[in-house]
Amino acid sequence: MNKKYGYLLFVLLFLSGSAYTVEFTGTRAAGMGQSFIAVNGDIGGVYHNPGSLAGCDVSEIGFNIGSLYRDNKLGAMTGMIFTWPYADQDPKRLAVHWNNSGMGEQSVQETGITLAKNSIFLKYPFRFGGTLKWRSDTLVGKQGVMLDVGAQSDVVKQKVTVGMAINNLASPDKDMAETSLGCGVFYNSVYGKLTSDIKWRTDRFFMSLGFENDFYEGLVVTRYGVLNAPDSYITCGVSTYLWPLGFDIAFSFPYNSTPGSGYFQAGFRYRFGGPHFSEIYLDRSIEKAASLRHSIKNLEKKKSKLDKEIIQLDEYKKHPDGNILGLPGVSQEAKKKLIEKPKDAKKEEQRPSYEKKAVTWPQYHKVVPGDTLRSIAQKYYDDPNKWQFIYNVNKDKVERGQPRLGEELMIPKP
């Protein structure tokens, strides 16, 4: 397809909308423009793709509170999610959630239970799950039971994830909750995490985009997003994770339409297990210390070599007319060339050219004692600060901040 027409199709899909109102969502998703179908291992996925909860590795509880301002009316939102693994050998996750949203005379309540499981499909990691939920809406005066189902798969390990979800199946009334079909893509780049969702509801597509980036080694996380459904919002959010505690905040601002609308949401979460904040930063400090020791050894070797060269130059300055062949450090190859060439030849020599061999990426490195992510980055990138490139594609081979001995790491192109 011609790129020009591809961009036009993208714009048309994005500007199209559907009768969709922002309802219940996790605070992290709210900051990313509700683009969350392909995000794995976050408890907020219970509202977007129940299959993503299979990636939650420890028990976790989360609370969300916020305000919804729409058509110059102010409403409030509250919610709670609790998820835990209940089968270690055959990884399964169980979660319950409760939410309440009120605006004017309308009040919507929802309670649900989610079951998610990890599996392997065609050699790819596969996560799937379902949510059975009960909803009551005072405005339409109806209540009923509905079902959400979803699945995810890692197309490229630690890099690209795709997901699909169907929400509000068997809804008793579309004014209370419309059935929607959606798919999403998650891309983990060295610059941040990019997400994109496309959903079909009623008779139209709508699209959302999200971006997330870490600062200060993950101490602060910022998020941005665009949501069009059909009201147009720009969203943003910020988080700090001092595990086992985590805090999230999200805002939305209308653009191009929908004056007098928007939302604010705050979230709090607690993890029952997993590494704590102090352990995470202790591991990183140990890794930095090991990398610094390795750098110091390399610098000492370079210094020793430079000291020898300085001594050789000083000797030559003392005896400029002496025989250069007697100086220490002159290679046998250089001596041979000097002997073969007449001493009175003064023609300018053409310096030998060294062709730099093309480097093919990715490369592979087998971890040996003393290796750290920073020392490996120094070896392949000549810059220890680029260790994050290696970590992003080898997370499953890194334990407590250190690559496991004997593992073969993939070294991506920087």
Side-chain angles (χ1 to χ4, degrees):
M1 181 185 291
N2 189 298
K3 285 187 176 181
K4 179 174 68 174
Y5 295 106
Y7 295 145
L8 178 61
L9 177 61
F10 176 89
V11 172
L12 290 175
L13 286 175
F14 186 77
L15 293 180
S16 65
S18 64
Y20 173 67
T21 302
V22 176
E23 292 180 337
F24 306 129
T25 181
T27 308
R28 181 185 177 193
M32 299 171 69
Q34 311 289 342
S35 181
F36 221 65
I37 292 178
V39 176
N40 173 40
D42 189 280
I43 58 176
V46 71
Y47 305 116
H48 305 271
N49 185 347
S52 67
L53 267 68
C56 296
D57 52 358
V58 296
S59 301
E60 190 170 348
I61 188 169
F63 298 94
N64 298 306
I65 58 172
S67 60
L68 177 63
Y69 191 60
R70 186 175 182 83
D71 298 328
N72 295 313
K73 294 181 180 180
L74 182 63
M77 298 181 292
T78 55
M80 185 272 291
I81 313 169
F82 182 38
T83 180
W84 69 96
Y86 69 92
D88 294 332
Q89 298 299 325
D90 184 17
K92 299 176 183 177
R93 307 292 181 265
L94 191 64
V96 293
H97 75 273
W98 170 86
N99 287 89
N100 180 71
S101 175
M103 178 177 291
E105 298 179 354
Q106 184 183 14
S107 175
V108 180
Q109 293 188 8
E110 180 179 286
T111 304
I113 182 169
T114 302
L115 177 64
K117 186 179 185 300
N118 287 294
S119 185
I120 300 295
F121 180 72
L122 297 178
K123 297 183 179 180
Y124 288 97
F126 187 71
R127 300 176 289 275
F128 60 94
T131 300
L132 183 66
K133 58 188 182 182
W134 173 86
R135 179 178 291 193
S136 172
D137 191 327
T138 59
L139 185 64
V140 298
K142 291 188 177 182
Q143 56 187 6
V145 176
M146 295 174 291
L147 180 66
D148 295 347
V149 293
Q152 284 183 347
S153 181
D154 298 327
V155 179
V156 180
K157 192 174 183 180
Q158 304 292 340
K159 197 78 172 178
V160 180
T161 302
V162 296
M164 292 188 65
I166 304 177
N167 299 95
N168 302 327
L169 275 171
S171 173
D173 192 297
K174 71 174 185 177
D175 292 330
M176 181 177 73
E178 285 188 74
T179 301
S180 68
L181 170 65
C183 61
V185 177
F186 170 88
Y187 176 62
N188 185 15
S189 72
V190 295
Y191 303 104
K193 300 169 184 176
L194 180 66
T195 62
S196 175
D197 286 1
I198 299 178
K199 291 185 180 179
W200 170 268
R201 186 178 290 219
T202 308
D203 60 349
R204 291 184 179 182
F205 283 107
F206 67 87
M207 192 171 186
S208 58
L209 300 172
F211 179 77
E212 183 178 74
N213 196 15
D214 297 349
F215 293 94
Y216 308 111
E217 298 185 351
L219 181 60
V220 177
V221 182
T222 59
R223 303 184 180 94
Y224 312 93
V226 181
L227 172 65
N228 185 280
D231 301 330
S232 303
Y233 295 97
I234 295 176
T235 67
C236 63
V238 63
S239 299
T240 179
Y241 296 140
L242 306 175
W243 296 124
L245 301 177
F247 303 92
D248 307 277
I249 298 176
F251 301 87
S252 80
F253 307 93
Y255 77 95
N256 194 31
S257 63
T258 326
S261 299
Y263 60 81
F264 163 78
Q265 192 162 322
F268 163 83
R269 57 179 67 187
Y270 184 88
R271 301 182 74 186
F272 299 90
H276 284 207
F277 174 80
S278 58
E279 295 174 333
I280 293 172
Y281 278 82
L282 176 61
D283 290 343
R284 291 177 180 174
S285 298
I286 292 173
E287 178 189 348
K288 285 184 177 180
S291 178
L292 286 173
R293 285 195 296 269
H294 180 76
S295 299
I296 289 171
K297 288 182 179 179
N298 287 337
L299 290 173
E300 288 176 346
K301 290 179 180 179
K302 291 180 180 179
K303 180 179 180 298
S304 177
K305 184 178 179 181
L306 289 173
D307 288 342
K308 291 180 180 179
E309 291 179 357
I310 291 173
I311 294 173
Q312 293 170 7
L313 290 173
D314 289 341
E315 286 292 326
Y316 186 69
K317 287 178 182 179
K318 292 178 181 178
H319 308 283
D321 298 329
N323 186 1
I324 192 173
L325 298 178
L327 290 177
V330 179
S331 65
Q332 293 296 328
E333 184 178 355
K335 290 179 180 181
K336 184 178 180 182
K337 289 182 179 180
L338 289 170
I339 293 172
E340 291 176 352
K341 181 182 175 182
K343 292 184 179 181
D344 58 349
K346 296 184 179 180
K347 293 183 179 180
E348 185 177 354
E349 290 183 351
Q350 184 179 3
R351 294 185 178 179
S353 60
Y354 298 93
E355 294 183 4
K356 188 176 182 180
K357 293 184 179 179
V359 179
T360 58
W361 301 97
Q363 300 189 61
Y364 295 89
H365 177 85
K366 189 169 183 180
V367 181
V368 298
D371 277 349
T372 66
L373 292 178
R374 293 179 66 88
S375 67
I376 297 172
Q378 173 69 32
K379 177 178 179 180
Y380 290 92
Y381 302 144
D382 200 25
D383 186 352
N385 293 322
K386 292 184 179 180
W387 62 270
Q388 189 76 33
F389 288 84
I390 302 173
Y391 173 75
N392 286 338
V393 298
N394 296 281
K395 292 182 179 179
D396 58 327
K397 299 177 182 178
V398 177
E399 184 176 354
R400 299 178 68 83
Q402 297 292 331
R404 291 195 293 267
L405 292 178
E407 293 282 5
E408 187 175 55
L409 305 182
M410 184 176 73
I411 312 299
K413 184 178 179 179

